[in-house]
């Protein structure tokens, strides 16, 4: 596999469920990101990991919990979500977390909370 | 914080030239990115500017004026496949990128 992959591509969950989103990058990058993209709204940065350490937590509710076990993998653990959390969740990676480092995005997970 | 403005929608004709503007106000500036996002797909990188001036890459060019907080993406010889959303993103402190709302470009025959 090449690039950035995400699983699952689609997820429907109830408000009491617990699920996890998975992201894997095959680019040898050192930084990984989670974004939320809702209809009619800009991409919202949620979390940033650099060299497996969380360096950014953008005031995200605690019902979203990220995990970065190594530089190639990133998870987003979900529990007791709300309907307004329904959105496209995009993972991205970049060579470094700094100037000039473009981000490569995965295909996203389309999440629906019922 | 960051404040990024770009037009919501634009329409242009196949073969023509279109310019998509982006203005920003930022606390800390480490460059400006343009991404393309087709409907239902992930954003893909188009260009990066950190110094003033024009960067040309094939049919696409990007311009930056840091003193004016202004950038534009220029698309030449438009093709139908260029119909997409174009995202302006400013890299602030510690490389954190803030995205604009995106400009939806429709190319008509």
């Amino acid at each position: 596999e090449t690039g950035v992959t995400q699983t699952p591509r689609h997820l429907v969950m109830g408000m009491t469920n617990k699920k996890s989103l998975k992201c894997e990058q095959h680019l040898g990058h050192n930084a990984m990101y989670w974004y939320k993209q809702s209809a009619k709204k800009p991409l919202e940065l949620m979390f940033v990991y650099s060299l497996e350490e969380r360096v950014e937590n953008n005031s995200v509710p605690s019902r979203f919990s990220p995990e970065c076990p190594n530089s190639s993998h990133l998870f987003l653990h979900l529990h007791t979500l709300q309907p307004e959390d329904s959105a496209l969740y995009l993972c991205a990676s970049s060579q470094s977390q700094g100037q000039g480092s473009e981000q490569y995005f995965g295909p996203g997970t389309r999440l629906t909370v019922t | 914080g960051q404040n990024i403005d770009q037009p919501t929608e634009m329409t242009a004709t196949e073969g023509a030239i279109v310019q998509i503007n982006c203005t920003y106000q930022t606390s800390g500036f480490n460059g400006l990115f343009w991404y393309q996002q087709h409907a239902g797909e992930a954003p893909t990188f188009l260009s990066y500017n950190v110094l003033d001036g024009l960067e040309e890459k094939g049919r696409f060019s990007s311009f930056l004026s840091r003193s004016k907080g202004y950038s534009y993406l220029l698309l030449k010889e438009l093709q139908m496949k260029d119909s997409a959303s174009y995202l302006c993103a400013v890299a602030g402190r510690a490389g954190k990128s803030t995205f604009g709302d995106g400009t939806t470009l429709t190319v008509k025959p």
Side-chain angles (χ1 to χ4, degrees), chain A residues 9 33 35 37 40-43 45 48 56 58 88 90 97-108, chain B residues 29-31 33 35 37 40-45 48 50 87 91 93-102:
Chain A
R9 295 293 307 277
Y33 311 78
Y35 288 90
Q37 189 172 38
K40 308 294 185 184
K41 294 178 73 174
L43 274 170
L45 179 64
V48 181
E56 186 74 34
N58 226 19
L88 180 68
L90 289 163
Q97 185 240 338
Q99 181 173 339
S101 196
E102 72 266 27
Q103 295 180 28
Y104 291 78
F105 287 83
Chain B
F29 181 80
N30 278 305
F33 296 89
Y35 289 85
Q37 186 175 23
E41 298 183 14
T44 55
F45 169 77
Y48 171 72
V50 67
L87 310 176
R93 293 199 182 96
K96 172 188 165 183
S97 286
T98 301
F99 284 78
D101 289 2

Side-chain angles (χ1 to χ4, degrees), chain A:
Chain A
E1 294 231 44
T2 58
V4 182
T5 58
Q6 289 186 244
T7 55
R9 295 293 307 277
H10 300 273
L11 178 62
V12 179
M13 59 186 289
M15 290 189 283
T16 58
N17 291 159
K18 289 184 179 181
K19 296 286 184 182
S20 295
L21 310 185
K22 179 182 176 182
C23 175
E24 185 173 357
Q25 58 98 359
H26 309 268
L27 300 167
H29 288 167
N30 292 316
M32 296 187 77
Y33 311 78
W34 279 117
Y35 288 90
K36 175 184 179 183
Q37 189 172 38
S38 305
K40 308 294 185 184
K41 294 178 73 174
L43 274 170
E44 299 173 57
L45 179 64
M46 300 175 72
F47 301 103
V48 181
Y49 277 82
S50 178
L51 297 172
E52 301 155 45
E53 286 191 29
R54 189 191 309 181
V55 296
E56 186 74 34
N57 178 345
N58 226 19
S59 302
V60 179
S62 59
R63 57 185 183 268
F64 295 91
S65 174
E67 178 190 0
C68 187
N70 55 62
S71 59
S72 299
H73 293 86
L74 186 65
F75 294 89
L76 188 62
H77 304 299
L78 316 171
H79 64 97
T80 59
L81 294 190
Q82 304 298 310
E84 60 263 30
D85 296 323
S86 298
L88 180 68
Y89 288 85
L90 289 163
C91 172
S93 70
S94 63
Q95 182 60 51
S96 63
Q97 185 240 338
Q99 181 173 339
S101 196
E102 72 266 27
Q103 295 180 28
Y104 291 78
F105 287 83
T109 295
R110 174 70 62 186
L111 174 68
T112 303
V113 182
T114 60

